[in-house]
Amino acid sequence: MIPVTVYHGVRKGPVLGITAGVHGLEYAPIMAAQALSKELDPTKMSGTVILVQIANVPAFLNRSLRVNPLDNKNLNRVFPGKANGTSSEKIAWIISDQIISRCNYFLDMHDGDANGDLRPYSGYYNYFDKPEVSEKAKQMALALGFDYIVQFGNEQSLTEASMYCSREATRRNIPAVDIECGRMGMVEEKTVQQIQQAVKSLLRYLKMLDGQPNPVQHPVLIGKRTEVTSQHTGFFYSDLTSGDYVQKGMKLGYTTDFFGAKIAEVTCPVDGVILYKTFNPPIKKGDGLFNIGHIK
Ligand SMILES: [Zn+2]
């Protein structure tokens, strides 16, 4: 079961698809979708909003980190999915085939998950062979109002499978954006409202709601990110938080073994800003510790 609501505005206009809960433990976008579902009024709208309140109900109900517990797959790595596949593949297929295919614009909403301290940003796919779709997506990202905008892709063309929900929309030449807002598995009122305001600003930019959009005035475009992964298994310590600026060579934190003995320092490989940090102690070799956005 996938809870979906369709809002058919009284006036003609585009179709915007919105997904929350592709990752079921990312509560801020899910709660923002719940709030929006009460707020959207078709008598005051142009066009149509297809709102997926929770894409991944099995993950949501089981409080499952990143994966759908029915098949242990990450829904945001299996797009466009398969009609006769596993649970995640079927969900991806229904969203691709029944929802994305009907849209003129698309928005997928995420947050930092239960282990992530995340600095809010929006994102869009930038492919050089899709200049019009990429530019439209960029304008949508600006309209969302987040000051940090991550450019995914940034290459000539999409040559691999979509994997990601909004990249499936991009593959179909539908301008698509992501919201990343919320952290540590929390439902913070401030964050939920920030997402609501962002979506309403996007609806105004697309002329689906009356009023002026509230686009970001001084965006920081992030075209490249570096993932810092753990070289060791044990405990992870760091005093830094998301949004902190870091420099190549500085100490980001350290890891210890299970007895508390320090194994290694974590050293920053690039200059940039921490977009995402694993904020809690358990760490396995190869796990992501930081995601650092390159800023000029
Ligand atoms: Zn996510």
Side-chain angles (χ1 to χ4, degrees):
M1 189 276 284
I2 305 172
V4 180
T5 312
V6 179
Y7 301 83
H8 248 314
V10 289
R11 298 183 298 269
K12 279 192 176 150
V15 179
L16 171 68
I18 304 175
T19 41
V22 165
H23 292 132
L25 229 160
E26 297 179 4
Y27 299 131
I30 293 170
M31 300 318 291
Q34 288 280 303
L36 279 165
S37 75
K38 296 189 192 96
E39 230 180 328
L40 289 176
D41 179 355
T43 67
K44 292 173 181 162
M45 276 174 51
S46 302
T48 300
V49 170
I50 307 175
L51 177 65
V52 179
Q53 267 101 347
I54 308 171
N56 200 336
V57 171
F60 176 74
L61 290 179
N62 290 287
R63 302 166 196 258
S64 175
L65 197 67
R66 293 200 188 101
V67 300
N68 174 348
L70 299 180
D71 60 8
N72 268 322
K73 291 189 180 196
N74 182 337
L75 176 57
N76 212 26
R77 297 294 183 275
V78 300
F79 277 85
K82 288 179 197 156
N84 296 311
T86 65
S87 174
S88 297
E89 289 165 347
K90 282 184 196 165
I91 294 171
W93 178 252
I94 287 165
I95 291 172
S96 302
D97 187 57
Q98 302 292 316
I99 294 175
I100 293 176
S101 67
R102 288 181 158 90
C103 293
N104 304 109
Y105 303 99
F106 193 76
L107 165 65
D108 187 28
M109 307 198 293
H110 291 259
D111 79 15
D113 216 321
N115 296 327
D117 171 15
L118 180 127
R119 201 290 186 188
Y121 60 88
S122 64
Y124 73 98
Y125 287 94
N126 188 41
Y127 290 109
F128 306 144
D129 67 344
K130 294 179 186 288
E132 281 175 31
V133 174
S134 299
E135 178 59 27
K136 196 75 192 170
K138 181 182 179 181
Q139 295 305 319
M140 291 167 70
L142 292 167
L144 287 171
F146 293 94
D147 56 351
Y148 280 16
I149 299 176
V150 174
Q151 293 173 312
F152 309 126
N154 265 338
E155 55 197 350
Q156 182 56 30
S157 56
L158 172 54
T159 50
E160 48 185 346
S162 300
M163 295 197 291
Y164 303 93
C165 185
S166 52
R167 200 160 74 167
E168 172 61 15
T170 306
R171 193 179 66 76
R172 294 170 184 247
N173 295 320
I174 298 160
V177 282
D178 279 26
I179 285 175
E180 286 279 358
C181 185
R183 61 198 181 119
M184 300 172 170
M186 294 193 290
V187 180
E188 294 174 296
E189 190 54 32
K190 187 182 117 206
T191 310
V192 174
Q193 280 181 8
Q194 191 176 1
I195 298 170
Q196 274 174 266
Q197 294 307 322
V199 175
K200 283 195 277 186
S201 180
L202 177 62
L203 286 165
R204 291 186 178 114
Y205 167 71
L206 296 173
K207 302 197 180 341
M208 298 173 74
L209 279 185
D210 289 337
Q212 290 299 314
N214 197 16
V216 53
Q217 294 303 317
H218 302 287
V220 176
L221 286 175
I222 297 173
K224 198 175 171 200
R225 291 171 295 163
T226 293
E227 180 88 352
V228 180
T229 55
S230 181
Q231 304 300 309
H232 303 278
T233 294
F235 286 59
F236 169 57
Y237 294 85
S238 171
D239 293 331
L240 296 168
T241 57
S242 67
D244 282 349
Y245 295 97
V246 291
Q247 286 182 313
K248 186 174 180 174
M250 78 179 261
K251 301 272 178 282
L252 298 176
Y254 62 95
T255 48
T256 75
D257 65 15
F258 293 111
F259 303 95
K262 194 187 270 191
I263 310 172
E265 304 269 8
V266 179
T267 306
C268 189
V270 290
D271 293 348
V273 62
I274 298 173
L275 294 175
Y276 177 98
K277 176 203 164 191
T278 296
F279 78 94
N280 43 22
I283 212 76
K284 294 195 303 294
K285 186 177 179 179
D287 282 353
L289 299 175
F290 297 92
N291 191 269
I292 298 173
H294 297 218
I295 45 176
K296 292 176 190 107

Short mmCIF file of all heavy atoms in Angstrom, two decimals, residues 87-140:
data_model
loop_
_atom_site.label_atom_id
_atom_site.label_comp_id
_atom_site.label_asym_id
_atom_site.label_seq_id
_atom_site.Cartn_x
_atom_site.Cartn_y
_atom_site.Cartn_z
N SER A 87 9.71 -6.23 -3.37
CA SER A 87 8.87 -5.17 -2.83
C SER A 87 9.37 -3.77 -3.24
O SER A 87 8.61 -2.95 -3.77
CB SER A 87 8.81 -5.29 -1.31
OG SER A 87 8.12 -4.20 -0.74
N SER A 88 10.67 -3.51 -3.04
CA SER A 88 11.21 -2.18 -3.38
C SER A 88 11.14 -1.93 -4.88
O SER A 88 10.81 -0.82 -5.32
CB SER A 88 12.67 -2.07 -2.93
OG SER A 88 12.76 -2.19 -1.54
N GLU A 89 11.44 -2.96 -5.65
CA GLU A 89 11.41 -2.79 -7.12
C GLU A 89 9.99 -2.51 -7.61
O GLU A 89 9.78 -1.71 -8.52
CB GLU A 89 11.99 -4.05 -7.79
CG GLU A 89 13.51 -4.15 -7.58
CD GLU A 89 14.05 -5.54 -7.91
OE1 GLU A 89 13.26 -6.49 -8.07
OE2 GLU A 89 15.29 -5.66 -7.99
N LYS A 90 9.01 -3.14 -6.96
CA LYS A 90 7.60 -2.89 -7.34
C LYS A 90 7.19 -1.46 -6.97
O LYS A 90 6.50 -0.79 -7.74
CB LYS A 90 6.67 -3.88 -6.63
CG LYS A 90 6.65 -5.26 -7.26
CD LYS A 90 5.60 -6.08 -6.52
CE LYS A 90 5.76 -7.55 -6.82
NZ LYS A 90 5.01 -8.38 -5.87
N ILE A 91 7.60 -1.02 -5.77
CA ILE A 91 7.27 0.36 -5.35
C ILE A 91 7.88 1.34 -6.36
O ILE A 91 7.22 2.27 -6.83
CB ILE A 91 7.80 0.66 -3.93
CG1 ILE A 91 7.09 -0.20 -2.89
CG2 ILE A 91 7.62 2.14 -3.60
CD1 ILE A 91 7.72 -0.12 -1.48
N ALA A 92 9.17 1.13 -6.69
CA ALA A 92 9.84 2.02 -7.64
C ALA A 92 9.12 2.02 -8.98
O ALA A 92 8.93 3.08 -9.60
CB ALA A 92 11.30 1.60 -7.81
N TRP A 93 8.70 0.84 -9.42
CA TRP A 93 8.03 0.74 -10.71
C TRP A 93 6.70 1.49 -10.70
O TRP A 93 6.37 2.22 -11.65
CB TRP A 93 7.82 -0.73 -11.10
CG TRP A 93 7.09 -0.86 -12.39
CD1 TRP A 93 5.81 -1.26 -12.59
CD2 TRP A 93 7.59 -0.50 -13.68
NE1 TRP A 93 5.48 -1.19 -13.91
CE2 TRP A 93 6.56 -0.73 -14.61
CE3 TRP A 93 8.82 0.00 -14.14
CZ2 TRP A 93 6.71 -0.49 -15.97
CZ3 TRP A 93 8.96 0.24 -15.50
CH2 TRP A 93 7.91 -0.01 -16.39
N ILE A 94 5.93 1.34 -9.62
CA ILE A 94 4.63 2.03 -9.54
C ILE A 94 4.85 3.54 -9.55
O ILE A 94 4.15 4.29 -10.25
CB ILE A 94 3.85 1.57 -8.29
CG1 ILE A 94 3.34 0.14 -8.51
CG2 ILE A 94 2.70 2.51 -7.97
CD1 ILE A 94 2.87 -0.56 -7.25
N ILE A 95 5.85 4.01 -8.80
CA ILE A 95 6.12 5.46 -8.78
C ILE A 95 6.58 5.93 -10.16
O ILE A 95 6.14 6.98 -10.65
CB ILE A 95 7.15 5.80 -7.68
CG1 ILE A 95 6.52 5.59 -6.29
CG2 ILE A 95 7.64 7.25 -7.81
CD1 ILE A 95 7.48 5.72 -5.14
N SER A 96 7.43 5.15 -10.82
CA SER A 96 7.93 5.53 -12.15
C SER A 96 6.81 5.51 -13.18
O SER A 96 6.61 6.47 -13.93
CB SER A 96 9.03 4.57 -12.61
OG SER A 96 10.10 4.55 -11.70
N ASP A 97 6.08 4.40 -13.20
CA ASP A 97 5.13 4.12 -14.28
C ASP A 97 3.79 4.81 -14.09
O ASP A 97 3.15 5.21 -15.06
CB ASP A 97 4.93 2.60 -14.36
CG ASP A 97 4.11 2.19 -15.57
OD1 ASP A 97 4.53 2.54 -16.69
OD2 ASP A 97 3.05 1.57 -15.38
N GLN A 98 3.36 4.97 -12.82
CA GLN A 98 2.04 5.52 -12.56
C GLN A 98 2.08 7.00 -12.16
O GLN A 98 1.09 7.70 -12.31
CB GLN A 98 1.34 4.75 -11.43
CG GLN A 98 1.18 3.27 -11.71
CD GLN A 98 0.19 3.00 -12.83
OE1 GLN A 98 -0.86 3.61 -12.89
NE2 GLN A 98 0.56 2.13 -13.75
N ILE A 99 3.21 7.45 -11.62
CA ILE A 99 3.25 8.82 -11.10
C ILE A 99 4.22 9.69 -11.90
O ILE A 99 3.80 10.66 -12.54
CB ILE A 99 3.61 8.81 -9.59
CG1 ILE A 99 2.45 8.12 -8.82
CG2 ILE A 99 3.82 10.24 -9.08
CD1 ILE A 99 2.68 7.91 -7.37
N ILE A 100 5.50 9.33 -11.93
CA ILE A 100 6.47 10.17 -12.64
C ILE A 100 6.05 10.36 -14.10
O ILE A 100 6.16 11.45 -14.65
CB ILE A 100 7.89 9.57 -12.53
CG1 ILE A 100 8.38 9.63 -11.07
CG2 ILE A 100 8.87 10.31 -13.45
CD1 ILE A 100 9.74 8.97 -10.82
N SER A 101 5.54 9.30 -14.71
CA SER A 101 5.16 9.38 -16.14
C SER A 101 4.08 10.41 -16.39
O SER A 101 3.92 10.89 -17.51
CB SER A 101 4.68 8.00 -16.61
OG SER A 101 3.46 7.68 -15.97
N ARG A 102 3.32 10.77 -15.35
CA ARG A 102 2.21 11.73 -15.52
C ARG A 102 2.63 13.17 -15.22
O ARG A 102 1.81 14.09 -15.29
CB ARG A 102 1.06 11.36 -14.58
CG ARG A 102 0.30 10.12 -14.99
CD ARG A 102 -0.84 9.87 -13.98
NE ARG A 102 -1.88 9.04 -14.54
CZ ARG A 102 -1.89 7.70 -14.48
NH1 ARG A 102 -0.91 7.05 -13.89
NH2 ARG A 102 -2.89 7.03 -15.02
N CYS A 103 3.89 13.36 -14.80
CA CYS A 103 4.30 14.67 -14.28
C CYS A 103 4.98 15.55 -15.33
O CYS A 103 5.65 15.07 -16.23
CB CYS A 103 5.27 14.48 -13.12
SG CYS A 103 4.49 13.72 -11.67
N ASN A 104 4.83 16.87 -15.13
CA ASN A 104 5.64 17.86 -15.85
C ASN A 104 6.84 18.28 -15.01
O ASN A 104 7.85 18.74 -15.56
CB ASN A 104 4.81 19.10 -16.18
CG ASN A 104 3.57 18.77 -16.96
OD1 ASN A 104 2.45 18.85 -16.44
ND2 ASN A 104 3.75 18.36 -18.20
N TYR A 105 6.70 18.15 -13.70
CA TYR A 105 7.77 18.51 -12.75
C TYR A 105 7.75 17.49 -11.62
O TYR A 105 6.70 16.91 -11.33
CB TYR A 105 7.55 19.92 -12.18
CG TYR A 105 7.45 20.99 -13.23
CD1 TYR A 105 6.20 21.47 -13.64
CD2 TYR A 105 8.60 21.51 -13.82
CE1 TYR A 105 6.11 22.44 -14.63
CE2 TYR A 105 8.50 22.48 -14.81
CZ TYR A 105 7.26 22.94 -15.21
OH TYR A 105 7.16 23.89 -16.18
N PHE A 106 8.92 17.35 -10.97
CA PHE A 106 8.98 16.33 -9.93
C PHE A 106 9.85 16.78 -8.77
O PHE A 106 10.87 17.45 -8.97
CB PHE A 106 9.51 15.01 -10.51
CG PHE A 106 9.31 13.85 -9.59
CD1 PHE A 106 8.05 13.28 -9.45
CD2 PHE A 106 10.36 13.35 -8.85
CE1 PHE A 106 7.85 12.22 -8.57
CE2 PHE A 106 10.17 12.29 -7.97
CZ PHE A 106 8.91 11.72 -7.84
N LEU A 107 9.43 16.39 -7.56
CA LEU A 107 10.18 16.72 -6.33
C LEU A 107 10.25 15.48 -5.45
O LEU A 107 9.23 14.88 -5.13
CB LEU A 107 9.45 17.85 -5.57
CG LEU A 107 9.86 18.09 -4.11
CD1 LEU A 107 11.30 18.57 -4.01
CD2 LEU A 107 8.91 19.11 -3.46
N ASP A 108 11.46 15.11 -5.03
CA ASP A 108 11.66 14.00 -4.10
C ASP A 108 12.26 14.57 -2.81
O ASP A 108 13.23 15.33 -2.86
CB ASP A 108 12.59 12.95 -4.73
CG ASP A 108 12.69 11.70 -3.87
OD1 ASP A 108 11.73 11.39 -3.14
OD2 ASP A 108 13.74 11.01 -3.96
N MET A 109 11.68 14.17 -1.65
CA MET A 109 12.07 14.82 -0.39
C MET A 109 12.73 13.82 0.56
O MET A 109 12.19 12.75 0.84
CB MET A 109 10.83 15.42 0.29
CG MET A 109 10.05 16.35 -0.63
SD MET A 109 8.93 17.45 0.26
CE MET A 109 7.72 16.30 0.91
N HIS A 110 13.90 14.22 1.06
CA HIS A 110 14.69 13.37 1.96
C HIS A 110 15.18 14.18 3.16
O HIS A 110 15.09 15.41 3.18
CB HIS A 110 15.92 12.83 1.21
CG HIS A 110 15.55 11.83 0.16
ND1 HIS A 110 15.68 10.48 0.34
CD2 HIS A 110 15.05 12.01 -1.09
CE1 HIS A 110 15.28 9.85 -0.76
NE2 HIS A 110 14.89 10.76 -1.63
N ASP A 111 15.77 13.44 4.13
CA ASP A 111 16.53 14.12 5.18
C ASP A 111 17.72 13.25 5.57
O ASP A 111 18.06 12.29 4.87
CB ASP A 111 15.63 14.54 6.36
CG ASP A 111 15.26 13.43 7.34
OD1 ASP A 111 15.89 12.36 7.33
OD2 ASP A 111 14.33 13.67 8.14
N GLY A 112 18.38 13.60 6.67
CA GLY A 112 19.64 12.96 7.02
C GLY A 112 19.50 11.57 7.63
O GLY A 112 20.51 10.97 7.99
N ASP A 113 18.27 11.09 7.76
CA ASP A 113 18.05 9.75 8.32
C ASP A 113 18.44 9.74 9.81
O ASP A 113 18.88 10.75 10.35
CB ASP A 113 18.83 8.70 7.52
CG ASP A 113 18.06 7.38 7.41
OD1 ASP A 113 17.43 6.99 8.40
OD2 ASP A 113 18.10 6.78 6.34
N ALA A 114 18.32 8.59 10.45
CA ALA A 114 18.50 8.52 11.91
C ALA A 114 19.94 8.70 12.35
O ALA A 114 20.21 9.07 13.48
CB ALA A 114 17.95 7.20 12.42
N ASN A 115 20.89 8.45 11.47
CA ASN A 115 22.30 8.55 11.86
C ASN A 115 22.97 9.82 11.35
O ASN A 115 24.15 10.02 11.59
CB ASN A 115 23.09 7.36 11.31
CG ASN A 115 22.61 6.06 11.91
OD1 ASN A 115 22.20 6.03 13.06
ND2 ASN A 115 22.64 5.00 11.14
N GLY A 116 22.21 10.63 10.63
CA GLY A 116 22.84 11.73 9.94
C GLY A 116 22.53 13.10 10.53
O GLY A 116 21.38 13.45 10.77
N ASP A 117 23.60 13.87 10.76
CA ASP A 117 23.47 15.28 11.08
C ASP A 117 23.64 16.00 9.75
O ASP A 117 24.74 16.03 9.20
CB ASP A 117 24.56 15.67 12.09
CG ASP A 117 24.63 17.17 12.30
OD1 ASP A 117 23.68 17.87 11.91
OD2 ASP A 117 25.64 17.63 12.87
N LEU A 118 22.55 16.54 9.22
CA LEU A 118 22.54 17.05 7.85
C LEU A 118 22.34 18.55 7.80
O LEU A 118 21.52 19.09 8.55
CB LEU A 118 21.43 16.34 7.07
CG LEU A 118 21.26 16.76 5.61
CD1 LEU A 118 21.31 15.54 4.70
CD2 LEU A 118 19.94 17.49 5.39
N ARG A 119 23.07 19.20 6.94
CA ARG A 119 22.91 20.64 6.70
C ARG A 119 21.93 20.75 5.52
O ARG A 119 22.20 20.21 4.45
CB ARG A 119 24.29 21.19 6.33
CG ARG A 119 24.52 22.69 6.49
CD ARG A 119 23.81 23.51 5.53
NE ARG A 119 24.17 24.92 5.64
CZ ARG A 119 23.53 25.85 4.97
NH1 ARG A 119 22.52 25.54 4.19
NH2 ARG A 119 23.91 27.10 5.07
N PRO A 120 20.78 21.43 5.69
CA PRO A 120 19.77 21.41 4.64
C PRO A 120 20.28 21.93 3.29
O PRO A 120 21.07 22.88 3.23
CB PRO A 120 18.67 22.34 5.17
CG PRO A 120 18.87 22.35 6.64
CD PRO A 120 20.34 22.21 6.86
N TYR A 121 19.81 21.31 2.24
CA TYR A 121 20.10 21.78 0.88
C TYR A 121 19.05 21.25 -0.09
O TYR A 121 18.30 20.33 0.23
CB TYR A 121 21.51 21.37 0.44
CG TYR A 121 21.83 19.89 0.38
CD1 TYR A 121 21.58 19.14 -0.77
CD2 TYR A 121 22.38 19.24 1.48
CE1 TYR A 121 21.89 17.79 -0.82
CE2 TYR A 121 22.70 17.89 1.43
CZ TYR A 121 22.45 17.16 0.27
OH TYR A 121 22.75 15.83 0.23
N SER A 122 19.01 21.86 -1.26
CA SER A 122 18.23 21.28 -2.35
C SER A 122 19.22 20.77 -3.38
O SER A 122 20.42 21.07 -3.31
CB SER A 122 17.28 22.31 -2.96
OG SER A 122 18.03 23.36 -3.54
N GLY A 123 18.74 19.98 -4.30
CA GLY A 123 19.63 19.44 -5.33
C GLY A 123 18.89 19.22 -6.63
O GLY A 123 17.66 19.08 -6.64
N TYR A 124 19.65 19.22 -7.71
CA TYR A 124 19.04 18.92 -9.02
C TYR A 124 20.11 18.26 -9.90
O TYR A 124 21.31 18.39 -9.66
CB TYR A 124 18.50 20.19 -9.67
CG TYR A 124 19.54 21.12 -10.22
CD1 TYR A 124 19.88 21.11 -11.57
CD2 TYR A 124 20.20 22.01 -9.38
CE1 TYR A 124 20.86 21.96 -12.07
CE2 TYR A 124 21.17 22.86 -9.87
CZ TYR A 124 21.50 22.84 -11.21
OH TYR A 124 22.47 23.66 -11.70
N TYR A 125 19.62 17.58 -10.94
CA TYR A 125 20.53 16.88 -11.86
C TYR A 125 20.91 17.79 -13.01
O TYR A 125 20.04 18.37 -13.67
CB TYR A 125 19.88 15.59 -12.37
CG TYR A 125 19.85 14.54 -11.30
CD1 TYR A 125 18.73 14.39 -10.49
CD2 TYR A 125 20.96 13.75 -11.06
CE1 TYR A 125 18.72 13.45 -9.47
CE2 TYR A 125 20.96 12.81 -10.04
CZ TYR A 125 19.84 12.67 -9.25
OH TYR A 125 19.83 11.75 -8.24
N ASN A 126 22.20 17.89 -13.23
CA ASN A 126 22.73 18.75 -14.28
C ASN A 126 23.46 17.87 -15.29
O ASN A 126 24.56 17.39 -15.02
CB ASN A 126 23.68 19.77 -13.64
CG ASN A 126 24.13 20.82 -14.62
OD1 ASN A 126 23.33 21.29 -15.41
ND2 ASN A 126 25.40 21.17 -14.59
N TYR A 127 22.80 17.64 -16.43
CA TYR A 127 23.44 16.88 -17.52
C TYR A 127 23.58 17.79 -18.73
O TYR A 127 22.63 18.45 -19.13
CB TYR A 127 22.62 15.63 -17.87
CG TYR A 127 22.68 14.59 -16.78
CD1 TYR A 127 21.57 14.33 -15.97
CD2 TYR A 127 23.86 13.90 -16.53
CE1 TYR A 127 21.65 13.39 -14.96
CE2 TYR A 127 23.94 12.96 -15.51
CZ TYR A 127 22.84 12.71 -14.73
OH TYR A 127 22.91 11.80 -13.71
N PHE A 128 24.79 17.81 -19.30
CA PHE A 128 25.08 18.78 -20.35
C PHE A 128 24.27 18.50 -21.63
O PHE A 128 24.04 19.41 -22.42
CB PHE A 128 26.58 18.77 -20.67
CG PHE A 128 27.44 18.99 -19.45
CD1 PHE A 128 28.66 18.34 -19.31
CD2 PHE A 128 27.03 19.82 -18.42
CE1 PHE A 128 29.45 18.52 -18.17
CE2 PHE A 128 27.80 20.01 -17.27
CZ PHE A 128 29.01 19.35 -17.15
N ASP A 129 23.86 17.23 -21.82
CA ASP A 129 23.05 16.94 -23.02
C ASP A 129 21.56 17.19 -22.78
O ASP A 129 20.75 16.92 -23.66
CB ASP A 129 23.30 15.49 -23.49
CG ASP A 129 22.78 14.46 -22.50
OD1 ASP A 129 22.50 14.83 -21.33
OD2 ASP A 129 22.65 13.29 -22.88
N LYS A 130 21.22 17.68 -21.58
CA LYS A 130 19.82 18.05 -21.29
C LYS A 130 19.80 19.48 -20.76
O LYS A 130 19.39 19.72 -19.61
CB LYS A 130 19.22 17.12 -20.23
CG LYS A 130 19.05 15.66 -20.63
CD LYS A 130 18.46 14.89 -19.46
CE LYS A 130 18.38 13.39 -19.71
NZ LYS A 130 17.36 12.98 -20.68
N PRO A 131 20.26 20.46 -21.56
CA PRO A 131 20.40 21.82 -21.00
C PRO A 131 19.07 22.44 -20.56
O PRO A 131 19.03 23.11 -19.52
CB PRO A 131 21.04 22.61 -22.16
CG PRO A 131 20.79 21.80 -23.39
CD PRO A 131 20.72 20.37 -22.95
N GLU A 132 18.00 22.17 -21.31
CA GLU A 132 16.72 22.80 -20.94
C GLU A 132 16.15 22.19 -19.67
O GLU A 132 15.67 22.90 -18.78
CB GLU A 132 15.72 22.67 -22.09
CG GLU A 132 15.97 23.70 -23.18
CD GLU A 132 15.06 23.50 -24.37
OE1 GLU A 132 13.92 23.03 -24.19
OE2 GLU A 132 15.50 23.81 -25.49
N VAL A 133 16.20 20.86 -19.60
CA VAL A 133 15.68 20.16 -18.41
C VAL A 133 16.51 20.55 -17.19
O VAL A 133 15.96 20.83 -16.11
CB VAL A 133 15.72 18.62 -18.63
CG1 VAL A 133 15.32 17.89 -17.36
CG2 VAL A 133 14.81 18.22 -19.77
N SER A 134 17.83 20.61 -17.37
CA SER A 134 18.72 20.95 -16.25
C SER A 134 18.49 22.38 -15.78
O SER A 134 18.47 22.66 -14.57
CB SER A 134 20.19 20.77 -16.67
OG SER A 134 20.44 19.44 -17.02
N GLU A 135 18.32 23.31 -16.72
CA GLU A 135 18.11 24.71 -16.35
C GLU A 135 16.78 24.88 -15.62
O GLU A 135 16.69 25.61 -14.62
CB GLU A 135 18.17 25.60 -17.60
CG GLU A 135 17.91 27.07 -17.34
CD GLU A 135 18.89 27.72 -16.33
OE1 GLU A 135 20.03 27.22 -16.22
OE2 GLU A 135 18.49 28.69 -15.66
N LYS A 136 15.75 24.20 -16.11
CA LYS A 136 14.44 24.28 -15.46
C LYS A 136 14.53 23.72 -14.03
O LYS A 136 13.96 24.29 -13.09
CB LYS A 136 13.40 23.49 -16.28
CG LYS A 136 11.97 23.80 -15.93
CD LYS A 136 11.53 25.14 -16.48
CE LYS A 136 10.19 25.56 -15.85
NZ LYS A 136 9.84 26.95 -16.18
N ALA A 137 15.26 22.61 -13.89
CA ALA A 137 15.43 22.01 -12.56
C ALA A 137 16.19 22.97 -11.64
O ALA A 137 15.87 23.09 -10.45
CB ALA A 137 16.18 20.68 -12.68
N LYS A 138 17.19 23.65 -12.21
CA LYS A 138 17.94 24.63 -11.41
C LYS A 138 17.02 25.74 -10.91
O LYS A 138 17.09 26.15 -9.74
CB LYS A 138 19.08 25.22 -12.24
CG LYS A 138 19.92 26.22 -11.48
CD LYS A 138 21.00 26.80 -12.37
CE LYS A 138 21.83 27.82 -11.61
NZ LYS A 138 22.87 28.42 -12.47
N GLN A 139 16.15 26.22 -11.79
CA GLN A 139 15.21 27.28 -11.39
C GLN A 139 14.27 26.79 -10.29
O GLN A 139 13.91 27.54 -9.38
CB GLN A 139 14.42 27.78 -12.60
CG GLN A 139 15.26 28.48 -13.66
CD GLN A 139 16.08 29.65 -13.10
OE1 GLN A 139 15.60 30.42 -12.28
NE2 GLN A 139 17.33 29.76 -13.53
N MET A 140 13.87 25.52 -10.40
CA MET A 140 13.02 24.92 -9.34
C MET A 140 13.79 24.87 -8.02
O MET A 140 13.24 25.17 -6.96
CB MET A 140 12.59 23.51 -9.74
CG MET A 140 11.61 23.45 -10.89
SD MET A 140 11.43 21.76 -11.53
CE MET A 140 10.55 20.95 -10.19
#
